[in-house]
Amino acid sequence: MSRDTDDGATSGATAQGFDPKLIEPYIVKDPEALALNVARALENLGKAASTWLAPRERGEIVDPVSQPLTELVKTMSKVAEYWMSDPKRTLEAQSYLLAGMFGAWTRTAQRLAGGETAEPSPQLPNDKRFSDEDWQRNPFFDFLRQVYFIGSEWAERMVSDAEGLDEHTRHKAAFYVRQITAALSPANFVVTNPQVYRETVASHGDNLVRGMKMLAEDIAAGGGDLRLRHTDYSKFTVGENMAVTPGKVIAQNDICEILQYEAATDTVLKRPLLIVPPWINKFYILDLNPQKSFIKWCVDQGHTVFVISWVNPDERHATKDWEAYIREGIDFALGTVEKATGEGKVNAIGYCVGGTLLSAALALHAKERNKRIASATLFTTQVDFTHAGDLKVFVDEEQLDAMEERMRASGYLDGSKMASAFNMLRASELIWPYFVNNYLKGEEPMPFDLLFWNSDSTRMAAANHSFYLRNCYLDNALSKGRMKIAGKTLSLKDVKIPIYNLATREDHIAPAKSVFVGSSLFGGPVTFVLSGSGHIAGVVNPPGKQKYQYWTGAAPTGAFEDWLEKAEETPGSWWPHWQTWIESLDDKRVPARKPGGGALNAIADAPGTYVLERA
């Protein structure tokens, strides 16, 4: 998560004096109507509270609240200890904060007296949460804005300047500070958000009635947990207006379904394409709709496309670990491809953790002299987790022990827990704006296919998730040549096949630097490409949109910053560049193939049945 600095209001050089007319929209015109609606809103809030409490009173939900709060208090106490252990440092910290607050108060007092004041120096950040004009025009809200940024900057500085913290503790402290400051933004409260305040007065509080009704509905939809709605879910149905590229399920086991898509060209590339998506999300991010679908685009280029659709696991899959996901997922898919096409070699794609699994599978295959995968493309994939970003905040021995204890009880990690963690990485974009829009303004969110997919969360099999977090985030075992699967110690240096390694510049899950560093671990040629935008939009960027850009350059060695400085920027999508790379490896073509060939019968139409299971 990072503070937005390229959107919203632009700070002016001076702030005008106080205009009494500015308070008119905030004066309650009908106190009786407002009081009645506030009572109705409180009634709906009571229903929301009852819906939240009921499953907890029945013992159906046990909230391990103490563990994350303990982590936060323990981490922040280490920061406080540094500043409070020395009176001189304590005075320094207090003086810095008070100086900023006094400056904000002085500027506000001057405006209330009718004078004009200069903007604080340095100027406050541009932030779309504060885009309403009254954040600057109205002295009251302007004061709140100044105090918020002064306090936020002070808190971040207390973490960054604290000495004696280990890297993980400092990382956690900085993350917790960002979560706290995001939650305490004055934009998140009725009487301190000018737009919400005005709407509450204008509608006599009807917005709060609608908002609290939506809150109760969203807690009910989450079975007692808040399921924050990001979009209008009624507008999307998987298999009807999402994931509609024609194809068939041609194989199935306990872990996955294998989909083969129907050809759209008279001839197809001889070498089939197998996509290994992450199991943390569902595969149809690559097939949202015909205009955005990477899968359809590949079919249109002449690929015979196969996709693994992972099961949404439950207690039956508790012991399925990475070896199972390789053997019963990737290897099962490779066998299916060979039966359906007669081809012994494929081009493979792995996305995010699907790419990490694919990389481990390649290293295992190298040990076993399995040469079925002729090339691999990795989308936003980490194999070295040294620079893995804010998700590392959730991974240390104590937190993993607590998570594994919870997973032992059910056999899996609930999908909502992982979704919440991802949303926390960008709380100022994925949590609080929707909280304000839904529950304070009482407005339904707009239909957005990407956010529908984002909310369609999946569970994590206990053994699989534990192996991933311990071996990758905690021990970084794959990059160190210490990961063990099927009794073999894996080394990425054994992977000699060509690799196309795609990173995205604004990625908060697989940071570009992390992906770049991982490129040097493979034993064969690696083509590193950097796309504009983030973890999803940087990948799902069809050529027809003419959005963003990508960078290409020399072999990925040395420092990422040095590579980027010399890289060549190209406008638009990286997809055609990748297609050229694929065809440079093998461009032989054969007559178009039908799903299953003559060896396998269709089990179901794409997108299959596993993808329809909701967590």
Side-chain angles (χ1 to χ4, degrees):
M1 183 190 72
S2 62
R3 183 182 297 157
D4 295 316
T5 57
D6 59 352
D7 237 329
T10 301
S11 297
T14 61
Q16 295 179 351
F18 175 60
D19 182 354
K21 293 181 180 179
L22 292 176
I23 67 172
E24 290 182 5
Y26 302 96
I27 298 175
V28 177
K29 307 296 192 303
D30 190 341
E32 184 177 348
L34 177 62
L36 180 61
N37 276 333
V38 168
R40 293 171 59 199
L42 289 174
E43 181 182 356
N44 286 335
L45 180 60
K47 292 178 182 178
S50 298
T51 305
W52 186 86
L53 285 170
R56 288 160 176 81
E57 292 175 342
R58 295 192 297 265
E60 297 170 4
I61 295 178
V62 178
D63 285 324
V65 175
S66 60
Q67 198 270 334
L69 285 179
T70 300
E71 278 296 317
L72 187 151
V73 172
K74 183 171 63 176
T75 301
M76 300 311 299
S77 67
K78 293 180 181 179
V79 177
E81 181 181 354
Y82 170 79
W83 291 104
M84 298 181 68
S85 61
D86 183 335
K88 183 179 179 181
R89 284 200 294 263
T90 304
L91 181 61
E92 177 188 345
Q94 292 174 343
S95 299
Y96 184 82
L97 177 61
L98 290 175
M101 296 297 185
F102 183 75
W105 172 249
T106 300
R107 285 187 292 272
T108 302
Q110 289 174 346
R111 289 190 64 188
L112 290 172
E116 293 188 358
T117 61
E119 275 287 298
S121 180
Q123 286 193 356
L124 302 182
N126 292 334
D127 189 316
K128 60 186 175 184
R129 292 174 294 176
F130 301 93
S131 59
D132 188 272
E133 288 184 350
D134 273 7
W135 283 114
Q136 295 187 54
R137 289 193 312 173
N138 188 300
F140 171 71
F141 295 111
D142 183 36
F143 176 72
L144 292 176
R145 178 179 69 104
Q146 292 182 59
V147 166
Y148 172 69
F149 282 121
I150 290 167
S152 299
E153 192 272 337
W154 174 83
E156 292 173 3
R157 179 173 172 174
M158 292 301 99
V159 174
S160 63
D161 290 359
E163 298 177 4
L165 300 180
D166 62 87
E167 182 181 351
H168 184 58
T169 299
R170 190 184 304 278
H171 192 173
K172 286 201 296 184
F175 179 80
Y176 291 145
V177 163
R178 290 197 297 272
Q179 298 305 309
I180 293 168
T181 56
L184 294 179
S185 167
N188 299 338
F189 303 93
V190 175
V191 296
T192 57
N193 182 321
Q195 186 179 15
V196 176
Y197 199 145
R198 292 196 305 269
E199 290 182 13
T200 302
V201 170
S203 69
H204 310 300
D206 189 56
N207 56 311
L208 299 179
V209 177
R210 298 193 307 270
M212 294 303 101
K213 179 175 181 291
M214 290 171 63
L215 178 63
E217 293 171 351
D218 289 354
I219 293 176
D225 286 326
L226 176 61
R227 183 185 176 191
L228 181 63
R229 69 180 83 179
H230 288 95
T231 185
D232 184 350
Y233 302 113
S234 67
K235 297 294 190 292
F236 303 102
T237 303
V238 177
E240 293 184 11
N241 58 0
M242 305 187 80
V244 295
T245 300
K248 304 290 183 182
V249 177
I250 60 170
Q252 182 187 76
N253 63 20
D254 287 343
I255 279 184
C256 66
E257 292 178 327
I258 309 301
L259 283 64
Q260 181 181 356
Y261 289 89
E262 296 176 7
T265 54
D266 293 334
T267 63
V268 295
L269 289 168
K270 185 174 185 293
R271 189 181 291 172
L273 179 66
L274 171 64
I275 298 177
V276 183
W279 57 84
I280 289 174
N281 302 108
K282 295 183 178 179
F283 81 89
Y284 67 90
I285 185 58
L286 296 175
D287 192 26
L288 284 176
N289 60 50
Q291 291 73 42
K292 297 179 182 177
S293 174
F294 178 76
I295 289 173
K296 181 182 184 301
W297 186 85
C298 287
V299 169
D300 291 343
Q301 307 314 303
H303 290 276
T304 305
V305 179
F306 295 81
V307 174
I308 296 175
S309 175
W310 300 108
V311 71
N312 204 336
D314 54 32
E315 61 276 2
R316 297 169 299 170
H317 304 91
T319 60
K320 298 293 186 180
D321 57 11
W322 267 37
E323 182 178 355
Y325 270 66
I326 290 175
R327 299 304 193 197
E328 301 172 46
I330 293 175
D331 289 351
F332 175 66
L334 291 170
T336 301
V337 172
E338 186 167 5
K339 289 177 184 177
T341 65
E343 293 294 327
K345 290 186 178 294
V346 306
N347 296 314
I349 292 177
Y351 194 167
C352 188
V353 67
T356 311
L357 180 74
L358 175 61
S359 299
L362 291 172
L364 178 61
H365 286 178
K367 295 288 187 186
E368 298 173 340
R369 302 187 184 280
N370 179 339
K371 298 182 179 180
R372 282 180 165 180
I373 298 177
S375 77
T377 298
L378 305 176
F379 296 164
T380 61
T381 292
Q382 297 178 101
V383 293
D384 183 295
F385 287 75
T386 304
H387 308 286
D390 283 342
L391 280 175
K392 292 182 74 173
V393 166
F394 301 105
V395 183
D396 53 41
E397 196 64 52
E398 290 184 27
Q399 293 185 87
L400 281 180
D401 286 344
M403 181 184 295
E404 288 169 342
E405 184 178 349
R406 294 197 297 272
M407 290 194 296
R408 275 193 291 272
S410 60
Y412 57 85
L413 180 71
D414 190 83
S416 64
K417 301 297 186 288
M418 203 68 190
S420 296
F422 281 124
N423 287 341
M424 286 174 68
L425 299 182
R426 298 167 61 197
S428 291
E429 299 172 38
L430 291 178
I431 296 179
W432 297 110
Y434 292 94
F435 173 87
V436 172
N437 185 78
N438 298 356
Y439 309 134
L440 302 187
K441 295 182 180 179
E443 297 177 359
E444 289 277 359
M446 297 292 291
F448 189 12
D449 52 8
L450 177 58
L451 291 177
F452 175 89
W453 167 85
N454 189 59
S455 70
D456 193 3
S457 58
T458 58
R459 297 177 286 266
M460 255 49 71
N464 183 15
H465 199 50
S466 179
F467 185 94
Y468 173 50
L469 294 180
R470 285 193 174 276
N471 279 269
C472 295
Y473 278 93
L474 187 62
D475 297 332
N476 205 8
L478 185 58
S479 71
K480 297 175 181 176
R482 297 176 185 170
M483 181 179 283
K484 292 185 177 181
I485 294 179
K488 295 178 173 60
T489 303
L490 308 184
S491 172
L492 292 175
K493 286 299 180 186
D494 295 337
V495 179
K496 308 292 186 181
I497 63 172
I499 303 282
Y500 188 100
N501 204 12
L502 179 79
T504 57
R505 191 164 188 176
E506 300 168 20
D507 202 327
H508 60 286
I509 295 172
K513 182 176 181 178
S514 183
V515 177
F516 179 87
V517 170
S519 298
S520 64
L521 300 177
F522 295 97
V526 177
T527 299
F528 180 79
V529 177
L530 180 67
S531 171
S533 196
H535 193 73
I536 302 300
V539 174
V540 184
N541 181 25
K545 297 288 186 181
Q546 289 298 309
K547 293 178 67 177
Y548 311 125
Q549 67 282 100
Y550 64 93
W551 290 264
T552 55
T557 58
F560 169 66
E561 293 78 10
D562 294 339
W563 181 93
L564 182 57
E565 185 178 346
K566 299 175 183 177
E568 179 182 352
E569 180 179 345
T570 303
S573 172
W574 57 269
W575 293 10
H577 180 269
W578 170 80
Q579 178 68 15
T580 300
W581 179 82
I582 282 284
E583 292 186 356
S584 72
L585 301 176
D586 188 347
D587 62 356
K588 298 185 185 69
R589 291 189 172 245
V590 297
R593 304 172 173 117
K594 293 184 178 180
L600 298 171
N601 294 322
I603 298 172
D605 290 331
T609 58
Y610 282 4
V611 74
L612 302 180
E613 172 69 22
R614 304 274 300 186

